Amino acid sequence: MPTTSHPLPHDGGVRLDGVLLFTVPFTILAWASSFPAIRAGLAGFGPAEMAALRFGLAGAAAALFLAVRRAPLPARGDLWRFGFGGVFFIAAYAVLLNIGQQVVPAGPASFIINTNPIMTALLAMLLLGERFSRLAWTGTALSFAGIALIALGKGLNVEIGLSVLLILGAALCNAVTTVVQKPLFARYEPLSVAAWNQAIGGLVLLPFLPGAIVQAASAPAVSFWSVVYLAVVPSLIGYATWAVTLSRLPAGRAANFQYCVPPMATLIGFLWLGEVPTPLALIGGLMALGGVVVVNLKR
């Protein structure tokens, strides 16, 4: 679930028109469903192989979109920013999240991923000189205390701890890409940036695609179709509906809707996979989400 936001002037008068009444809930449902779908896909694929098949399909469709749209090639000075997105925002993010979700259920994983705005704010403080208030530090502490509770809720051990760290690593990939690719959205359409990210990410993961094809031959049908679903709905369509949302709403207001993703992912994980969160995991998830809200109160 990407949560890249691009600061725009606040516009309190923007209304949810008919398009947004479709794109906003669709994006929330698509991205929330990706966490249970990953868990289902992992029953038949390795983490890297599943990422390769997912973005092999999505990347090919994204490349076709760029060709049909006749999207301009990235300027030479922007190549590294697009490459960074493909390597970290797509490939590294997907592999780290997949490995982590071998152990961490869908709902808790979505709460952990949703801490990436805090990481983005910390990076902005370190790299851009933005101030980090006492309230923001309090929210950061609250979020990471919640993540610790999520780990405790699973029975803290080395495997659980490493899995949580890997999912935090995926969130960090997202946050760093937000900072690196922010300038691109002044020069390129958001939809084109998303398509380039997926196309490049698919190329980066290409070495794992032969193994994914071998695993697909023996994978359960639900695992195979879960990966196809991940490629089409959360990736291709979800990125597109998010780009439309960003183009019609101030980024801060659009990003607020993403707070709905973790609770929805928890509900879908329960209905689809029968994953029942422990009380500690629920409390920890709410703390993690609450910390993100606190950090963003003045942003």
Side-chain angles (χ1 to χ4, degrees), residues 192-204:
S192 294
V193 175
W196 278 112
N197 281 339
Q198 292 183 77
I200 294 170
L203 286 174
V204 172

Side-chain angles (χ1 to χ4, degrees), residues 17-194:
D17 58 24
V19 173
L20 289 170
L21 286 174
F22 168 74
T23 63
V24 170
F26 184 92
T27 305
I28 291 169
L29 285 171
W31 286 353
S33 66
S34 68
F35 294 94
I38 287 171
R39 290 278 285 182
L42 287 169
F45 294 90
E49 289 77 13
M50 186 170 79
L53 182 56
R54 174 184 179 179
F55 287 104
L57 295 170
L64 181 62
F65 165 82
L66 290 169
V68 171
R69 191 79 174 267
R70 295 184 180 179
L73 292 173
R76 183 176 299 178
D78 293 330
L79 285 174
W80 75 275
R81 296 184 189 274
F82 281 98
F84 194 98
V87 172
F88 289 95
F89 186 52
I90 298 297
Y93 174 93
V95 173
L96 290 173
L97 180 58
N98 290 353
I99 296 173
Q101 278 205 249
Q102 288 181 309
V103 175
V104 179
S110 67
F111 278 106
I112 296 171
I113 283 291
N114 211 59
T115 60
N116 88 82
I118 290 179
M119 298 183 187
T120 304
L122 287 168
L123 286 169
M125 179 191 69
L126 294 172
L127 301 177
L128 305 177
E130 292 191 10
R131 292 187 60 191
F132 213 63
S133 67
R134 185 176 301 176
L135 184 65
W137 283 116
T138 302
T140 301
L142 179 64
S143 272
F144 285 96
I147 290 170
L149 280 184
I150 289 173
L152 286 171
K154 281 290 292 178
L156 186 59
N157 56 40
V158 173
E159 186 181 29
I160 295 293
L162 180 59
S163 298
V164 169
L165 286 175
L166 288 171
I167 296 174
L168 281 172
L172 181 61
C173 288
N174 193 329
V176 175
T177 305
T178 298
V179 175
V180 169
Q181 291 200 327
K182 177 181 172 182
L184 296 179
F185 292 89
R187 299 187 287 273
Y188 304 89
E189 292 183 352
L191 207 57
S192 294
V193 175

